[in-house]
Every structure is written in structure tokens, then in C-alpha cells.
Amino acid sequence: MLLEGEFTVNRPVQEVNRYLRDMDRIMTCLPGLQQYTRSGEDYVCKIKLDVSKAENSYLSTLSGKLIAKYEDTTENMARISANGRVAGSSIQLIITVETSPEGESTSVSWSSEMEFGLLIRIIGESKVRELSRLNIENTIECIRKQMETLQT
Amino acid sequence: MTDKIAVIGGGITGLFTTLYLANAGFNVHLYERGDIASGTSGHFHGMLHSGARYAVNDEISARECANENRIIFEMASNFVEDTGGYFVALNGEEAEYGSILSRRCNALGILSEEIQPEEFLKLEPFVNPSAQKILRVPDRIIHSYEFSVAVALEALMNGASISTNSNVEKINVEAGSVKGITVSGVNGTRRESFDYVVNATGPYSSGLLSRSGVETPPLMPAVGSMAVYNGRFVNSVINRMRKPSDGDIFLPYGEVSILGTLATVVDNPEEFEVDSEDIEMMVEEGNEMIPALGGMKYSRIYSSIRPLVDDSSKSAREATRSFRIIEHTEDGLNGLVSLVGGKFTTGRLIGEQTADYVTGKFGNRDRSKKKVDLNSTYERFSRSGKCRYPELLKMLGDKRGTIDEERLNPALSLIFAASICID
Ligand SMILES: Cc1cc2nc3c(=O)[nH]c(=O)nc-3n(C[C@H](O)[C@H](O)[C@H](O)COP(=O)(O)OP(=O)(O)OC[C@H]3O[C@@H](n4cnc5c(N)ncnc54)[C@H](O)[C@@H]3O)c2cc1C
């Protein structure tokens, strides 16, 4: 499921672009992040994915590991992928963020995709869309907030 | 109609269904492809839930478990270890969850009491000493095989027949009605006629139903795994104070301790492997709760399938129970129900409600309100003359008073279980 959107942050584009290269900060926005360690270009993250929306008493959160890294970056664009396993199922999150100056502010457009693999089986097809949307929206909202509070 | 009913599946659900149907006077025959409780009911975590684990996120399950915990303890205390349970918060966020948990337990009538961490750590010295908030709840431990065999024996003594090692290949259907089953056992394959069939194969339902050409209920099979450690590290059920998650229950079971669970998704519920990397994740969680485990290797892993029901079609508020009795009449088929969902703790309730449901279908009898006392079942069965191995029974009797008396107790269940099969 592909989601996309746009927002404006009240910070100059250079600052926002610098932030987009600061993986240590962006990492903290990954859904359900518990802790992470760096191994070369890779960020190995322990996550707990909140699946309580699936309304299943056994499965409120599921544990997993993701490896996050930059796929591609240019002056005005960063693409981050996070691949790994949750509950034995492969899972993938890709976020692309592009910036353009808008006077003193920055216009940010983003697109993101989340794949749940076999997890669909236990979460149920209908809930998986909601879960992807929720996780992506939370991640983007977290990134937006971090951009808003950038210090010069 | 001769009121002849087949129950397929000798897990806790099928066993209690058989017992209650037999008590209601039906001519009931249970078929199990392996031994009693050889499916999920023999590979679960061993907890007789107090309901507290579900108090925050699943009120229906919590209420059912709270009730059943009391009922089972009353009817079968011989098979239950009344250890009590504790929820343990290891950080501020978990302690906050504990306040919600405590309120929800109160609202649902689940006895809970906050105790001081220092006091708790004297009782459970292996738990992480940074425990901040502790809530005591009435969790208990149930000895699965001995208990399940008692239910089977009780059903047998009430007139039911049970065939173990009997795989039901197919439910036979003619002109939209169930006519019986095709079963294969040690004596070959045969067809048996029945008026009604209860499918209690739980998480394994899909295979049987599709072989029979019957629409499969919306099951979402998920594997659950547990790690066994040699030695009793704790005296009670230790739960992590947070939303149900992986690796957050640690409990004593006989002479070992069991950490669980880890949820994984698999392609085929009949054949799967759990990745050791996933197991490590659960073990890391367990180590946080019981740091001493960090320096040890678990002795083995066991896994089983959860019979989760896909209730996405229904809002949770509409649901009145945590399991479903699925009639197949919607698919144009009479004489068959499938049971899905539930927990070991609620197996009795599912069996009772299914027997009520089936009794209602036949319309010519009242459900028996006969009280079930499983504490005296082994004793009564010993005297019933139905045990096929009196010489083994005598050998075991002779071990009374020896150093091994208690260690050999479970052997009685095996001797009795071997007496059950009539295939
Ligand atoms: C990891 C894990 C931990 C759990 N922990 C707890 C816990 O601590 N407390 C709790 O209350 N609940 C717990 N549960 C839930 C509980 O174990 C199950 O809900 C319960 O055991 C299900 O019982 P059942 O009779 O429906 O299924 P099963 O016990 O699986 O019984 C189904 C039976 O059908 C038989 N069968 C299948 N196909 C055929 C066929 N064609 N012919 C004949 N027989 C057939 C199988 O051999 C099996 O014995 C846990 C579940 C899991 C997965």
C-alpha cells in the first residue's frame, strides 16, 4: 500500500536537508523502535510492532528486527528502507522524502510503502491496511515534528 | 434419529464437548488422530489464566478466564498448582500500564493486589531486582496431560467411546446433510454413520474441512513457541506488566521452568519450523525479566498452533465470547458444527456451550446438569474395572511410600490413557 503526502515546515531547506542525512535522529521515528545498534551503513533495530488494532488478545505487540539504511540520497531527497522480520514474517518499509525551498520555509513531500508479508495471515487483510496507514502516518508525523524543532 | 454424535479432535475442547454430550445422554464417539491432548492442548504454556492478562485489551476473554479459573480449580484442584501469579513492571511505562491493569482487574472482579517490590523479591529472588511495581493475581498452573486424561476418563465412565490414533480422513456428506465420517486407524479405513458431527480439530480444521469439501471457517493459524529451562527458577507465574507481547510469561511446570511465548506466522500449520533467530528474540525478552537465564541455554523449544479466529467481519463489541461455534448451514450443510478459538482455560466452557447447542438442535432432551468432579476420576476409574493394564496399576501402587512415589505419579495418566483407545 503506497501512501503519500506533503507538508511545510517552518525551517530553511538547508537545515531540513541536513536533518535528512542524520539517520540517528530519523531512526527514532521508526515504528515500535526499542533500541538500535550501528553496523557500518546499517542500523540494526529491535522493534515491537503494535498490532493491537487487530483486536486479538494474544497479539498486542509483535517482536522483530529490522535493518534500516539509506537507499539513495541527493541534495534534496532521501530514501530510507527498513527490511527485516517480525513474528517470523518478512516486513518492509520504504520512505522517500523530498524537499524544496518555499521562502524561509521548506515544502516536504513524502511517499511511503509498508509490506507485511505473511503477517497478513494473523492480522487479517482488512486490518493490515489500517495498520500500515497508522504506522506510516506516525512515522511521518514524528519526522515532521523533529524537522519543526531543528535548532539552527 | 439415534442421536449418534461424532466429535473429532481429542484436545481440551473436544474432550469437554464429549463429556457434556455423554452426560446429556447422547451416544457420542470421540476420534483423535494421535493421543489425548497431542495437539495444541499438549503444547501450550500451562497457565490456568486468572483473566488478568486480557483485562486491558480483551474483556470477553478476561471474564471467561476469570470464571473458568475458579470452576476448574473447584472441579480439578488435583491437577492444578495454585501458585498465584505476579505482573512485574521493569520501567516507568510498564508501571503506568500496571495502574490501568489494576483498575481493569477490579472492574472485572479479578482479585488483584499491589505488593512492595522488596517483599516480592524475597518470594521470587530470580526476578530482575529493578522491578518497580508488582501486582499479584490468581493465575494458576494446570497439568495438561493428567487433566485432559481425567476428562477423557470421565467421558468414558459416562458412556462415551473414544478412539485415539484414529485419523478422520473425511466428513461424509450426502445431499447437504452429514452422514458420518471416514476414519483410518490401526485396523484400516472404515466409514461410520453419525447423525451429527462436531469438528473440534481447532487449529487443524482447514485440512479436514477442505478434504470434506466443506467451506473453511476464517482461521488465522499462528505458531506459538516456548523455551524450557531445567530447574524451577520461580515459584509462581511471572508476567511482564505490559500489553500481551512475546517472551513475557515465565512459569514453573513440574521440575522445569517455561518461557513463552513467541508468535510467528507460518505457511502450513501441519508442518513448520521456527527460526532460531526469532527464538533468540524471545529469549532476550525473558532475560530482561529473569536475568539469571542470560547465562544459561534453554534445554528445548516446543511449538504449537493457535486457533485464532478472524473476526474482522464482526466488531469486537458485538462478540459475546472469545470462541465461535460455527454452523455450516450457511453453506447449505446440516449436521456439522466447527469449534474455533478459545483457550485451554476456557475449553470446559466451550465444551459445555457446544453440548447445550447440540442438545438444542435435537430438541428431545434436556442438558444434564450433573456436577463434574475430576478430583475423584482416577480413583473411580481404578475401581471401575475398565483399566486394561491392572498389572501396571499394581506396580505403580507398589511404588507408594518409595522415594519415587511423586515422580511416578504422572505414569498413572499414561496407563489410563492406554486403556482409553477402543479402535
Ligand atoms: C503457544 C501457545 C501457548 C498457549 N498458552 C496457553 C495458556 O497458558 N493457557 C491457556 O489457557 N491457553 C493457552 N493457549 C491456548 C490453548 O492451548 C488452546 O486454545 C487449546 O489448547 C486448544 O484446544 P483445542 O482442543 O481446541 O485444540 P487442540 O488441542 O489442538 O486439539 C485438536 C485435536 O484435533 C486432533 N486432530 C486434528 N485433525 C484431526 C483429524 N483429522 N482426525 C482426528 N483428530 C484430529 C489433533 O491431533 C488435536 O489433538 C496457548 C496456545 C498456544 C499456541
Side-chain angles (χ1 to χ4, degrees):
Chain A
M1 179 165 119
L2 179 74
L3 286 181
E4 43 197 3
E6 250 179 42
F7 56 85
T8 305
V9 278
N10 205 7
R11 309 298 311 169
V13 74
Q14 296 85 344
E15 269 181 39
V16 174
N17 286 345
R18 209 175 310 125
Y19 163 82
L20 284 178
R21 264 152 214 77
D22 185 355
M23 188 69 133
D24 284 293
R25 293 200 66 189
I26 296 178
M27 283 297 305
T28 57
C29 290
L30 277 192
L33 183 82
Q34 301 292 297
Q35 61 185 64
Y36 72 89
T37 50
R38 194 171 172 175
S39 160
E41 298 290 290
D42 293 347
Y43 287 73
V44 183
C45 328
K46 199 174 142 191
I47 64 161
K48 271 196 187 299
L49 202 62
D50 187 342
V51 292
S52 48
K53 280 269 174 291
E55 282 164 8
N56 202 301
S57 54
Y58 283 119
L59 307 167
S60 278
T61 57
L62 294 172
S63 325
K65 261 189 191 145
L66 291 181
I67 295 183
K69 60 178 178 206
Y70 285 113
E71 284 294 326
D72 209 1
T73 44
T74 61
E75 177 71 24
N76 293 315
M77 190 274 286
R79 179 172 297 128
I80 297 166
S81 73
N83 289 289
R85 283 159 71 82
V86 170
S89 162
S90 63
I91 180 168
Q92 186 183 47
L93 173 70
I94 296 179
I95 302 172
T96 309
V97 182
E98 280 180 85
T99 59
S100 56
E102 215 177 73
E104 285 299 287
S105 304
T106 306
S107 161
V108 180
S109 61
W110 60 268
S111 65
S112 179
E113 208 163 349
M114 195 165 186
E115 294 285 339
F116 280 90
L118 275 179
L119 267 185
I120 285 191
R121 297 253 177 103
I122 51 170
I123 297 173
E125 188 105 34
S126 59
K127 299 269 164 61
V128 124
R129 290 180 153 269
E130 200 183 337
L131 210 62
S132 318
R133 193 180 43 75
L134 206 75
N135 275 302
I136 292 173
E137 280 174 4
N138 287 346
T139 305
I140 297 295
E141 179 55 14
C142 171
I143 290 176
R144 191 190 66 76
K145 278 198 178 131
Q146 289 193 346
M147 287 176 173
E148 288 283 5
T149 52
L150 289 171
Q151 304 291 328
T152 351
Chain B
M1 279 225 219
T2 55
D3 299 0
K4 234 182 120 190
I5 300 177
V7 176
I8 311 171
I12 201 62
T13 308
L15 288 167
F16 268 114
T17 302
T18 304
L19 170 59
Y20 284 112
L21 284 171
N23 278 355
F26 285 100
N27 179 354
V28 51
H29 196 132
L30 170 76
Y31 295 88
E32 162 57 49
R33 67 180 173 185
D35 184 15
I36 296 298
S38 52
T40 305
S41 301
H43 298 82
F44 72 116
H45 208 159
M47 226 171 134
L48 189 60
H49 285 288
S50 63
R53 182 167 172 80
Y54 306 113
V56 176
N57 71 334
D58 180 355
E59 184 176 327
I60 295 167
S61 292
R63 279 189 199 282
E64 285 175 357
C65 286
N67 254 333
E68 289 303 302
N69 178 297
R70 287 187 281 263
I71 294 174
I72 302 280
F73 189 57
E74 197 186 309
M75 68 157 62
S77 57
N78 283 358
F79 308 102
V80 177
E81 250 195 276
D82 192 12
T83 54
Y86 296 93
F87 278 80
V88 178
L90 296 183
N91 55 47
E93 196 184 324
E94 290 179 4
E96 256 173 54
Y97 178 81
S99 307
I100 304 170
L101 176 65
S102 165
R103 275 202 303 279
R104 293 300 302 144
C105 283
N106 282 343
L108 295 168
I110 300 166
L111 221 63
S112 71
E113 179 196 3
E114 189 168 345
I115 71 163
Q116 289 310 309
E118 308 80 61
E119 196 186 322
F120 166 72
L121 289 166
K122 279 187 207 145
L123 302 170
E124 296 289 2
F126 282 106
V127 173
N128 192 330
S130 61
Q132 295 184 4
K133 185 182 172 96
I134 312 289
L135 204 63
R136 187 183 156 83
V137 296
D139 286 337
R140 292 170 164 137
I141 287 159
I142 184 147
H143 292 154
S144 158
Y145 191 60
E146 287 146 280
F147 174 71
S148 303
V149 169
V151 183
L153 296 177
E154 201 59 44
L156 215 61
M157 289 192 286
N158 280 281
S161 307
I162 300 179
S163 296
T164 50
N165 299 308
S166 300
N167 186 36
V168 176
E169 305 278 358
K170 204 167 164 275
I171 298 164
N172 301 322
V173 178
E174 273 171 37
S177 283
V178 165
K179 295 294 173 201
I181 57 169
T182 300
V183 57
S184 61
V186 281
N187 296 323
T189 302
R190 61 189 189 276
R191 284 171 77 99
E192 302 268 7
S193 299
F194 286 98
D195 299 308
Y196 206 88
V197 172
V198 178
N199 167 26
T201 57
Y204 308 99
S205 282
S206 313
L208 173 65
L209 292 178
S210 60
R211 280 198 304 277
S212 311
V214 177
E215 182 112 351
T216 308
L219 269 183
M220 303 185 290
V223 170
S225 301
M226 281 130 304
V228 178
Y229 292 83
N230 287 327
R232 265 177 93 102
F233 288 89
V234 287
N235 302 305
S236 47
V237 179
I238 309 295
N239 301 270
R240 188 89 176 254
M241 202 179 268
R242 64 182 184 197
K243 282 186 192 169
S245 179
D246 294 327
D248 58 2
I249 304 179
F250 191 67
L251 52 78
Y253 192 84
E255 291 168 12
V256 300
S257 304
I258 307 176
L259 170 69
T261 58
L262 168 78
T264 44
V265 203
V266 291
D267 249 338
N268 179 358
E270 301 278 356
E271 215 179 279
F272 57 85
E273 254 179 54
V274 180
D275 198 290
S276 58
E277 210 184 307
D278 293 329
I279 295 288
E280 278 320 307
M281 276 192 250
M282 170 177 75
V283 167
E284 278 173 28
E285 295 284 336
N287 294 352
E288 282 179 23
M289 217 162 44
I290 316 285
L293 298 183
M296 300 182 60
K297 179 82 183 148
Y298 49 83
S299 60
R300 65 185 170 98
I301 298 290
Y302 66 95
S303 307
S304 60
I305 302 281
R306 269 183 216 287
L308 302 179
V309 197
D310 178 359
D311 252 336
S312 45
S313 53
K314 252 182 12 175
S315 90
R317 223 169 291 163
E318 263 178 68
T320 55
R321 52 190 176 201
S322 66
F323 55 90
R324 282 168 70 184
I325 301 173
I326 298 175
E327 256 208 298
H328 295 267
T329 40
E330 271 181 25
D331 312 314
L333 182 60
N334 287 310
L336 173 69
V337 282
S338 289
L339 312 177
V340 286
K343 305 188 169 37
F344 192 93
T345 306
T346 57
R348 190 210 66 85
L349 175 70
I350 306 175
E352 187 182 53
Q353 295 208 352
T354 306
D356 281 356
Y357 184 84
V358 174
T359 305
K361 289 273 151 202
F362 280 77
N364 56 352
R365 61 178 79 236
D366 291 330
R367 179 172 77 80
S368 158
K369 299 281 177 209
K370 197 166 155 185
K371 200 166 183 246
V372 177
D373 167 31
L374 296 175
N375 283 324
S376 60
T377 303
Y378 278 33
E379 188 59 42
R380 281 183 285 117
F381 190 74
S382 301
R383 285 189 270 105
S384 69
K386 288 183 189 243
C387 177
R388 286 210 232 152
Y389 304 95
E391 65 287 5
L392 286 180
L393 212 54
K394 177 167 181 321
M395 269 175 80
L396 204 60
D398 291 345
K399 292 283 179 252
R400 288 224 177 102
T402 70
I403 186 172
D404 284 312
E405 176 177 333
E406 289 78 12
R407 287 167 50 82
L408 286 171
N409 268 345
L412 192 59
S413 314
L414 269 182
I415 298 173
F416 286 161
S419 299
I420 288 172
C421 176
I422 60 145
D423 189 63

